[in-house]
Amino acid sequence: MKIIDCHHHYWDPRVNPHPWLTDRPMIPFRYGDYSAICRPWLPEDHARAAAGWDLVASITMEGEWSPADPLGEARWLARLVQEQGTPAAHVGQIWLDRDDCAEVLDGYATLPLIRSVRHKPRSTPRPGMGPGGLADPAYLAGVAALARTPLMFDLQCPWWHLADLARLREVAPDLPVIVNHTGLPADRSPDALAGWRAALEQAAGIGRVYLKISGLGLPDRPWRLEDNRDIIRTAIDIFGPDRAMFGSNFPVDGLCGSFDTIFSGFDAATRDYGAAERAALFHGTAARVYGLDPV
């Protein structure tokens, strides 16, 4: 089974500016202590982690490079591609509400590796506490500028802010949006899961919205199929295999389980889907959405 890992990172905090990996004290993080990943994660590390799987391509995600140089990470990765042939595509850092948004977009236009950008909008700690950053006029102005380029938008926010996709569609009717990390269903209580399902259904009802099934780890416990099978199946049933794709979120989700554990879980959870559906989930949808060469 061919795999495109649709969401992971490369970084080298020894030589590049990733403040969250190098500064102390460490920032609050959803998986708790993340000191184990405050080290280089480069192509050889990812290949070693994925050993035993037919990993045919990778899509890297911006890794919180210093916002003082939003283009720096993409330029570093472009050099990495020249040297090692990976990644196949990258999601670049941008700050949609900053004055340099247009300048950064112009810079990405010179880098064929860049297919999408991400700026995590401001979010509230829990549902019912008001709108998040997707409702901010300055943020939406940046989204409108993004929509005038060939790039896509990777959206990472808790599921209770996905309703604000309707505001985004008002300024960017045709912008492809890829929802990251399954909408972040961290709270597995019945009420929270009901809200998460409803939010995904609402997002799936909007055209040109896709879903990355990734980032499913839970604090202080290992990645387990019994915790995540129903989440995986529900997400696929809502979006369909042609709009959903799998990602490892490595090395971050390495805090919760090995690459083999996570992809074995994806494999087991989808074992009774058809061959064409599984091919879409494991590589076809990612290749099509991110414009990769056929694999």
Side-chain angles (χ1 to χ4, degrees), residues 1-4 241-242 244 246 270 273-287 295:
M1 181 169 56
K2 297 177 180 178
I3 289 174
I4 293 175
D242 289 335
F246 288 132
T270 60
Y273 283 74
E277 294 173 315
R278 278 166 51 88
L281 289 163
F282 282 94
H283 72 271
T285 298
V295 294

Side-chain angles (χ1 to χ4, degrees), residues 231-248:
I231 297 289
I232 294 166
R233 302 276 301 202
T234 299
I236 295 169
D237 290 345
I238 290 172
F239 271 83
D242 289 335
R243 296 171 65 196
M245 59 194 99
F246 288 132
S248 71

Side-chain angles (χ1 to χ4, degrees), residues 93-260:
Q93 180 191 101
I94 199 164
W95 300 92
L96 292 163
D97 54 2
R98 288 195 342 191
D99 292 341
D100 65 356
C101 177
E103 178 184 340
V104 173
L105 290 171
D106 288 343
Y108 284 148
T110 69
L111 297 170
L113 182 68
I114 308 302
R115 308 297 165 81
S116 184
V117 295
R118 182 175 76 168
H119 171 188
K120 301 173 188 175
R122 175 180 48 79
S123 62
T124 59
R126 54 187 179 276
M129 296 183 66
L134 272 175
D136 176 49
Y139 194 100
L140 290 173
V143 170
L146 171 61
R148 294 191 287 270
T149 77
L151 297 172
M152 303 182 293
F153 180 43
D154 269 66
L155 170 62
Q156 182 169 325
C157 66
W159 55 262
W160 52 89
H161 290 309
L162 289 177
D164 288 329
L165 275 171
R167 296 176 186 247
L168 183 148
R169 275 289 174 256
E170 292 175 3
V171 301
D174 300 316
L175 177 67
V177 176
I178 303 102
V179 175
N180 288 189
H181 296 337
T182 334
L184 295 171
D187 182 348
R188 303 294 173 88
S189 66
D191 286 348
L193 286 177
W196 168 75
R197 283 192 297 269
L200 281 199
E201 288 169 353
Q202 184 177 8
I206 300 172
R208 307 197 79 185
V209 175
Y210 307 90
L211 183 71
K212 288 180 178 178
I213 302 176
S214 58
L216 295 178
L218 297 171
D220 302 319
R221 64 193 302 171
W223 202 104
R224 303 188 308 176
L225 179 60
E226 53 265 42
D227 290 329
N228 293 316
R229 183 183 186 277
D230 288 349
I231 297 289
I232 294 166
R233 302 276 301 202
T234 299
I236 295 169
D237 290 345
I238 290 172
F239 271 83
D242 289 335
R243 296 171 65 196
M245 59 194 99
F246 288 132
S248 71
N249 193 32
F250 256 56
V252 177
D253 273 33
L255 295 167
C256 307
S258 69
F259 188 102
D260 185 68

